[in-house]
């Protein structure tokens, strides 16, 4: 009986020691995790390279393409300078310097303008910029062009093939308000006739389409892209028709010369037969 009691006490003591050891291990592990978490937060705060850019490069590029194609040709025509507070200015794009240092040699050949490294596709060059040249991104407030996508119809610029099945009236209203605020800040109506005309143009070109009405399309005034396509088609047509025209003229002249030679030969034959 005493033997059984002693054995039971030994087992109980062993269990208590094991449980204590387990608590110490868990406690030390949690303490280590806590120190690592605190250390990582300190590292994120002290290391500027750990700061991430929360701005879509792809949508920023689409926003700038909309501005460059459907707004800037008309701004240049009016010889109007966008105010410094206008968010549509090229220098307000945090990715502008990197985008200007993209060298596109061929469809599958892109080069970095900073270090001359080559890539097979633009997306790999974008990743290279994020990894190697992140210091060239000015991530200050108000420099993310993707924030303006709601007003500038970026989805259309990116050619999404699946349109939304139902228009969101609240989102359309928000986008219209953003669009109108851009018109007010970039083209103040009290800054002269050019600003007033461009203010009205911007409302028609970008803002009117922010409504749940399928009959209203963005960019009704056209832009640089349409003009370029027209001249490109005209040049191609000219290059095709011009050689054809010269070929027709050449064949016509050759037939004329051949006919003249035949007439001369027939007239000589007739002259020889006449004396006999």
């Amino acid at each position: 009986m005493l033997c059984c009691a002693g054995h039971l006490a030994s087992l109980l003591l062993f269990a208590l020691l094991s449980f204590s050891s387990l608590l110490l291990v868990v406690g030390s592990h949690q303490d280590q995790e806590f120190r690592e978490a605190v250390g990582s937060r300190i590292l994120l705060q002290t290391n500027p390279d750990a700061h991430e850019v929360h701005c879509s490069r792809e949508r920023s590029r689409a926003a700038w393409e909309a501005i460059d194609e459907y707004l800037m040709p008309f701004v240049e025509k009016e010889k109007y300078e966008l105010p410094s507070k206008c968010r549509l200015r090229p220098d307000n794009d945090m990715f502008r310097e990197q985008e200007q240092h993209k060298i596109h040699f061929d469809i599958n050949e892109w080069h970095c303008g900073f270090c001359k490294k080559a890539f097979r596709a633009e997306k790999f060059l974008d990743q290279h910029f994020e990894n190697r040249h992140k210091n060239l991104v000015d991530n200050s407030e108000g420099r993310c062009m993707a924030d303006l996508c709601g007003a500038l119809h970026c989805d259309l610029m990116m050619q999404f093939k699946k349109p939304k099945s139902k228009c969101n009236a609240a989102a359309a209203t928000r986008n219209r308000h953003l669009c109108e605020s851009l018109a007010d800040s970039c083209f103040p109506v009290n800054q002269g006739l050019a600003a007033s005309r461009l203010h009205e143009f911007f409302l028609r070109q970008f803002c009117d389409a922010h409504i749940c009405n399928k009959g209203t399309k963005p960019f009704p005034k056209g832009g640089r892209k349409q003009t370029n396509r027209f001249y490109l088609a005209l040049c191609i047509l000219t290059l095709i028709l011009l050689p054809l025209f010269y070929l027709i003229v050449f064949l016509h002249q050759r037939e004329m010369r051949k006919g003249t030679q035949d007439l001369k030969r027939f007239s000589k034959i007739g002259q020889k037969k006449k004396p006999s």
Side-chain angles (χ1 to χ4, degrees), residues 166-181:
K166 187 177 180 180
C167 177
N168 188 327
T173 301
R174 288 195 302 270
N175 292 335
R176 187 178 182 88
H177 287 164
L178 174 60
C179 189
E180 291 173 349
S181 68

Side-chain angles (χ1 to χ4, degrees), residues 71-82 187 198:
L71 175 63
M72 294 311 295
F74 302 93
V75 173
E76 294 166 0
K77 183 178 179 181
E78 292 283 355
K79 297 180 180 179
Y80 178 80
E81 184 177 355
L82 295 172
F187 313 105
L198 287 170

Side-chain angles (χ1 to χ4, degrees), residues 171-205:
T173 301
R174 288 195 302 270
N175 292 335
R176 187 178 182 88
H177 287 164
L178 174 60
C179 189
E180 291 173 349
S181 68
L182 289 173
D184 294 338
S185 61
C186 296
F187 313 105
V189 293
N190 59 352
Q191 295 298 317
L193 292 176
S196 181
R197 285 193 294 264
L198 287 170
H199 185 278
E200 185 68 18
F201 164 81
F202 191 84
L203 294 178
R204 304 288 84 79
Q205 183 84 321

Side-chain angles (χ1 to χ4, degrees), residues 102-112 116-123 125:
K102 286 182 176 180
I103 304 174
H104 191 191
F105 282 106
D106 199 355
I107 188 172
N108 291 324
E109 186 177 0
W110 294 77
H111 285 224
C112 172
K116 310 305 179 184
K117 191 173 181 179
F119 301 89
R120 292 185 294 105
E122 186 178 15
K123 63 179 181 180
L125 179 55

Side-chain angles (χ1 to χ4, degrees), residues 112-226:
C112 172
F114 299 111
C115 61
K116 310 305 179 184
K117 191 173 181 179
F119 301 89
R120 292 185 294 105
E122 186 178 15
K123 63 179 181 180
F124 299 128
L125 179 55
D126 289 341
Q127 294 173 1
H128 169 74
F129 281 150
E130 293 176 5
N131 295 330
R132 299 295 183 182
H133 305 294
K134 188 183 295 186
N135 60 311
L136 299 174
V137 174
D138 184 3
N139 187 21
S140 56
E141 185 178 359
R143 293 178 58 84
C144 180
M145 298 296 288
D147 293 341
L148 308 179
C149 274
L152 300 177
H153 308 281
C154 291
D155 290 350
L156 181 62
M157 297 301 301
M158 297 170 73
Q159 298 180 350
F160 285 164
K161 296 182 179 180
K162 294 182 179 180
K164 294 181 179 179
S165 58
K166 187 177 180 180
C167 177
N168 188 327
T173 301
R174 288 195 302 270
N175 292 335
R176 187 178 182 88
H177 287 164
L178 174 60
C179 189
E180 291 173 349
S181 68
L182 289 173
D184 294 338
S185 61
C186 296
F187 313 105
V189 293
N190 59 352
Q191 295 298 317
L193 292 176
S196 181
R197 285 193 294 264
L198 287 170
H199 185 278
E200 185 68 18
F201 164 81
F202 191 84
L203 294 178
R204 304 288 84 79
Q205 183 84 321
F206 291 91
C207 303
D208 283 355
H210 292 299
I211 187 173
C212 292
N213 183 0
K214 294 183 179 180
T216 307
K217 302 291 184 182
F219 319 131
K221 302 295 184 180
R224 198 192 308 272
K225 179 181 289 187
Q226 283 76 9

